[in-house]
Amino acid sequence: MDPITLIITALSGAASNAVLSSAVAGAASSVSSGVCQAFAQGGAQDAYNTLKDLINRKFAGQPKAQMVLEEYETDPETYEVPLKKKLAEAGADKDEEIIQAAEKLLEQLQPEESATTSKYKVEFQAEVKGAQVGDRNTQQNTFN
C-alpha cells in the first residue's frame, strides 16, 4: 500500500469509528456501544489524534489543507481526493513519523489484519516483471 493510501485508510477507519461512537453515545445498543468503547479504550483514539496532529503540523500555514482534513472526518467521499492531493503536496507520503503513526492507528483498528499485512513491506521503484511476495511460493517465469 502506498503511503498516501495508508494514511487515508487509517484516517477513514478511525473517522468512521469516531462517527459511530458519537452516533450511539446515548443509544442502548450493546454491540455498537461495545465497538465504540473498544475504539476509545483500545488506544485507537489516541493514535488517531496523534496522526491528525502530525498532519495538521505538516499543513501549518495552509488553512485550506487544514479545512480539507477537518471536512474529511464528516464527508470522506467528497474530501478523499482533495485530501490525497494536499497530503502529497505537503510531502506527508515521505514523512516517516506520519507513516508510522498511520501504521500504528491501523494496528489499533484492525489488529488481526495488521498482523498479517505488515509482515511484508514491498515497494517497487521501477518496472517489475514476475514479482511475488509471500510465504512458501513457487514461481516460474519465462520472459521473451
Side-chain angles (χ1 to χ4, degrees), residues 19-99:
V19 168
L20 176 63
S21 182
S22 318
V24 297
S29 170
S30 61
V31 173
S32 295
S33 296
V35 169
C36 298
Q37 285 176 345
F39 174 70
Q41 294 171 355
Q45 184 67 51
D46 290 338
Y48 176 64
N49 290 337
T50 299
L51 178 59
K52 266 188 67 178
D53 289 345
L54 290 169
I55 294 170
N56 270 318
R57 274 193 245 146
K58 198 67 151 171
F59 287 167
Q62 302 174 46
K64 189 172 183 180
Q66 290 173 331
M67 182 273 306
V68 168
L69 178 61
E70 291 301 318
E71 292 296 329
Y72 180 78
E73 277 187 333
T74 56
D75 189 2
E77 288 179 17
T78 302
Y79 287 94
E80 181 174 341
V81 172
L83 182 57
K84 283 182 176 181
K85 181 180 177 188
K86 294 297 181 186
L87 287 167
E89 288 173 356
D93 56 332
K94 293 168 183 61
D95 187 318
E96 281 301 314
E97 195 174 11
I98 290 176
I99 293 168

